[in-house]
């Protein structure tokens, strides 16, 4: 296990910027507005020859325990309790505030090594103000700039006695720009944990569901809509299957988003979806399958991710039979490209129906990864053509010659023949439905690429 470092401090002192600097990627949202971070986020960090686990926390604020700010502080205190070393960040530009002194007094009472970091020390004035920090009683402050990477050597020296070293590794990865990923025929390497992302509209119970699955109050929850802003990834195991469980911010229609921070949170959710394997779309049973739910589901299918529809708050439904019939009708009508979509009813609050969710995820993951031999596919194609030949547009019959699978995740097939690109959508749906039935591919999205010209396998078959 790696040693753990917790980053704490008032809101808007640069904790998330420091987290991104140490992990080498822009995974934590950063904004000028105070209080952007609400949940704990952790990641593996490297600082020269040191390697450790770093935890970003919400800003420390004095607030009643039952308030949102109070619950955020409780999460931060838990992170400090679990950490091996604490980095206390102050804002050198604004100087010491009463909250800094109160939280410093709290940290002094803990039996933890604390490193004091005076962030935003880019100018001489800030450096002079950092000197005030001596009176916090936490030792000499490190003059630092998380945004520009100034002071990393001093931070390394302060952390070395508390964190493990390893052999030097290549420089930290460049900060990743996550927008603009393109669809590719390259297949992702198999293996590793299932990347399972929980998505949906705001306030449908996504964080409550994740907490219930892992069996602890790891994520901040409450009656307020839009609590989650960052996409938080948690490593977990279910019956021997490794799962990387990702909670995300709620997605609203773009036209309703007026706030820049909400736009950033939405982009973070879409990035999490892009790297996921399975998406659990959580909907509210009391407001089932609204237009935005269907928009989110369509985006999951477009990304080629496998989709599980989870209906939360099922214990509040007065007429389950008619509600379920209406949900199935809307799914069939609005998502015709995804046949056999797994549908699980549950209550994240009580745990009712939860044992059915993970088996559905694992079964869908296996179908999403399935590979089918070319010989089997061509036997299927011959039978499908015999039962229902393709049409003959303008009197010229379409001749389909053979089919092969070019990738999985999602299952993608190449269909070769003369005038293959003239096949109508209805015939492609016929072939797709036949593939699902013949090879147990109910649930994941399927893709059929139409190809013409010479058989690239002809030389091999001679």
């Amino acid at each position: 296990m790696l040693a753990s470092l917790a980053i704490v401090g008032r809101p808007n002192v640069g904790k998330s910027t420091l987290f991104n600097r140490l992990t080498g990627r822009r995974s934590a949202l950063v904004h000028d507005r105070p209080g952007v971070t609400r949940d704990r986020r952790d990641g593996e960090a490297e600082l020269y020859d040191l390697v450790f686990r770093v935890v970003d926390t919400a800003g420390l604020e004095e607030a009643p325990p039952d308030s949102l700010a109070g619950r955020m502080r409780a999460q931060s205190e838990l992170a400090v309790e679990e950490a091996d070393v604490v980095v206390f960040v102050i804002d050198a530009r604004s100087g010491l505030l009463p909250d800094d002194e109160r939280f410093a007094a709290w940290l002094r009472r803990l039996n933890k090594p604390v490193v004091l970091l005076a962030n935003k020390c880019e100018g001489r004035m800030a450096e002079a103000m950092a000197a005030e920090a001596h009176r916090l009683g936490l030792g000499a402050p490190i003059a630092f700039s998380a945004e520009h990477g100034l002071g990393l050597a001093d931070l390394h020296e302060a952390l070395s006695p508390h964190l493990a070293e390893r052999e030097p590794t290549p420089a930290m990865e460049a900060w990743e720009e996550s927008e603009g990923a393109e669809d590719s025929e390259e297949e992702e390497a198999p293996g590793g944990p299932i990347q399972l992302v929980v998505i949906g509209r705001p306030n449908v119970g996504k964080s409550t569901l994740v907490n219930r699955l892992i069996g602890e109050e790891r994520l901040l929850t409450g009656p307020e809509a839009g609590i989650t802003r960052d996409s938080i990834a948690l490593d977990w195991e279910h019956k021997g299957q490794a799962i990387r469980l990702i909670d995300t911010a709620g997605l609203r229609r773009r036209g309703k988003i007026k706030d820049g921070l909400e736009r950033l949170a939405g982009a973070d959710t879409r990035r999490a979806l892009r790297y996921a394997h399975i998406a659990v779309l959580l909907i509210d049973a009391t407001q089932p399958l609204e237009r935005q739910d269907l928009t989110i589901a369509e985006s999951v299918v477009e990304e080629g991710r496998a989709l599980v529809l989870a209906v939360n708050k099922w214990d509040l439904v007065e007429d389950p039979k008619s509600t379920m019939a209406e949900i199935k009708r809307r799914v069939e009508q609005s998502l015709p490209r995804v046949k056999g979509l797994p549908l699980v009813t549950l209550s994240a609050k009580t745990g009712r129906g939860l044992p059915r969710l993970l088996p559905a995820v694992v079964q869908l993951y296996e179908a999403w990864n399935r590979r089918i031999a070319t010989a089997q596919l061509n036997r299927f194609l011959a039978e499908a053509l015999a039962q229902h030949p393709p049409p003959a547009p303008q009197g010229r019959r379409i001749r389909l010659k053979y089919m092969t699978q070019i990738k999985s995740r999602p299952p993608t097939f190449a269909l070769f023949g003369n005038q293959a690109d003239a096949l109508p959508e209805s015939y492609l749906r016929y072939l797709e439905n036949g593939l699902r039935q013949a090879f147990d591919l109910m649930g994941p999205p399927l893709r059929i690429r139409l190809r013409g010209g010479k058989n690239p396998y002809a030389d091999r078959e001679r």
Side-chain angles (χ1 to χ4, degrees):
M1 293 291 290
L2 295 177
S4 174
L5 180 152
I7 304 172
V8 299
R10 289 187 292 105
N12 210 33
V13 295
K15 299 184 297 299
S16 293
T17 305
L18 174 60
F19 177 88
N20 287 344
R21 173 68 63 179
L22 293 174
T23 58
R25 55 182 72 229
R26 283 181 173 173
S27 51
L29 293 185
V30 176
H31 196 275
D32 291 339
R33 183 186 306 174
V36 171
T37 302
R38 288 175 170 173
D39 285 294
R40 285 179 284 158
R41 172 190 285 276
D42 63 72
E44 185 173 322
E46 292 182 11
L47 184 58
Y48 305 125
D49 59 348
L50 300 179
V51 58
F52 50 94
R53 178 172 160 266
V54 61
V55 184
D56 186 23
T57 66
L60 293 167
E61 295 182 85
E62 291 287 353
D66 293 337
S67 66
L68 177 57
R71 300 198 303 275
M72 289 162 58
R73 177 175 175 177
Q75 287 284 330
S76 299
E77 290 175 349
L78 187 57
V80 170
E81 181 181 327
E82 296 175 350
D84 298 295
V85 60
V86 178
V87 171
F88 182 44
V89 183
I90 62 171
D91 186 339
R93 291 179 188 169
S94 62
L96 289 186
L97 298 182
D99 278 350
D100 293 318
E101 297 182 358
R102 280 195 293 271
F103 297 132
W106 167 61
L107 290 171
R108 287 199 304 269
R109 292 194 295 271
L110 302 178
N111 188 25
K112 299 271 183 184
V114 178
V115 174
L116 180 60
L117 208 66
N119 194 30
K120 307 181 185 179
C121 274
E122 294 88 352
R124 293 182 180 177
M125 179 69 71
E127 290 181 10
M129 296 178 74
E132 292 183 47
H134 280 280
R135 73 170 190 256
L136 293 177
L138 295 173
I142 296 173
F144 198 82
S145 171
E147 185 173 356
H148 298 95
L150 304 177
L152 286 171
D154 293 332
L155 179 60
H156 171 269
E157 183 179 348
L159 293 177
S160 291
H162 313 294
L163 300 175
E165 297 183 4
R166 72 174 177 190
E167 291 300 315
T169 60
M172 292 187 295
E173 300 172 69
W175 285 13
E176 295 177 346
E177 293 294 341
S178 57
E179 297 301 319
E182 298 180 358
D183 182 34
S184 168
E185 295 292 346
E186 284 189 23
E187 184 169 355
E188 181 186 353
I194 297 176
Q195 304 280 344
L196 176 61
V197 63
V198 182
I199 58 175
R201 290 184 288 114
N203 213 34
V204 294
K206 297 182 295 297
S207 298
T208 304
L209 173 61
V210 173
N211 284 342
R212 175 67 65 172
L213 284 171
I214 65 176
E216 62 175 282
E217 294 297 312
R218 174 62 177 79
L219 300 172
L220 197 63
T221 61
E224 304 90 347
I227 289 179
T228 301
R229 286 171 173 166
D230 290 271
S231 297
I232 305 297
L234 305 172
D235 291 318
W236 181 56
E237 189 173 289
H238 173 74
K239 295 184 177 179
Q241 172 65 60
I243 296 176
R244 190 161 179 79
L245 194 55
I246 306 163
D247 183 34
T248 62
L251 289 172
R252 295 198 299 163
R253 279 187 290 171
R254 292 181 186 270
K256 290 190 173 184
I257 299 175
K258 308 296 183 184
D259 182 75
L261 180 55
E262 186 177 356
R263 192 171 292 110
L264 281 175
D268 196 40
T269 296
R270 286 186 284 275
R271 179 173 61 247
L273 174 60
R274 196 152 46 235
Y275 293 104
H277 300 153
I278 310 290
V280 172
L281 173 57
L282 197 64
I283 67 173
D284 188 333
T286 62
Q287 302 172 323
L289 278 182
E290 293 191 346
R291 181 180 174 184
Q292 178 62 4
D293 295 321
L294 295 170
T295 300
I296 296 171
E298 189 66 28
S299 68
V300 173
V301 176
E302 286 292 335
E303 285 288 345
R305 306 308 167 205
L307 177 66
V308 175
L309 188 62
V311 188
N312 193 24
K313 307 179 186 179
W314 194 249
D315 51 326
L316 303 180
V317 173
E318 295 180 358
D319 188 352
K321 187 175 180 179
S322 63
T323 301
M324 178 57 68
E326 175 62 16
I327 291 173
K328 288 182 176 179
R329 184 192 68 80
R330 294 207 64 190
V331 167
E332 185 175 347
Q333 181 183 58
S334 303
L335 299 170
R337 292 190 296 164
V338 188
K339 296 292 184 183
L341 180 72
L343 200 159
V344 180
T345 59
L346 55 85
S347 170
K349 187 174 182 180
T350 66
R352 174 185 171 186
L354 215 60
R356 298 195 300 271
L357 180 60
L358 268 299
V361 166
V362 172
Q363 183 177 359
L364 185 60
Y365 179 72
E366 291 171 354
W368 187 67
N369 278 279
R370 188 158 296 143
R371 272 205 166 273
I372 303 164
T374 299
Q376 291 179 286
L377 286 171
N378 284 294
R379 282 196 294 270
F380 156 77
L381 181 62
E383 292 174 5
L385 294 175
Q387 291 179 13
H388 183 31
Q394 299 179 347
R396 295 183 61 190
R397 181 165 297 282
I398 298 172
R399 298 183 182 277
L400 301 179
K401 298 180 179 179
Y402 64 98
M403 175 182 281
T404 187
Q405 184 173 359
I406 55 178
K407 61 172 287 202
S408 59
R409 316 180 83 172
T412 303
F413 306 90
L415 179 60
F416 292 81
N418 295 336
Q419 299 190 86
D421 55 356
L423 276 176
E425 285 294 323
S426 58
Y427 198 82
L428 286 175
R429 283 197 298 271
Y430 161 69
L431 292 177
E432 181 180 307
N433 291 336
L435 284 168
R436 292 186 185 279
Q437 293 289 343
F439 301 109
D440 193 19
L441 292 172
M442 304 303 288
L446 301 186
R447 291 173 176 170
I448 299 178
R449 310 293 195 202
L450 300 176
R451 301 284 190 265
K454 181 183 175 182
N455 182 348
Y457 296 94
D459 294 338
R460 298 183 187 181
E461 293 170 351
R462 288 177 182 171

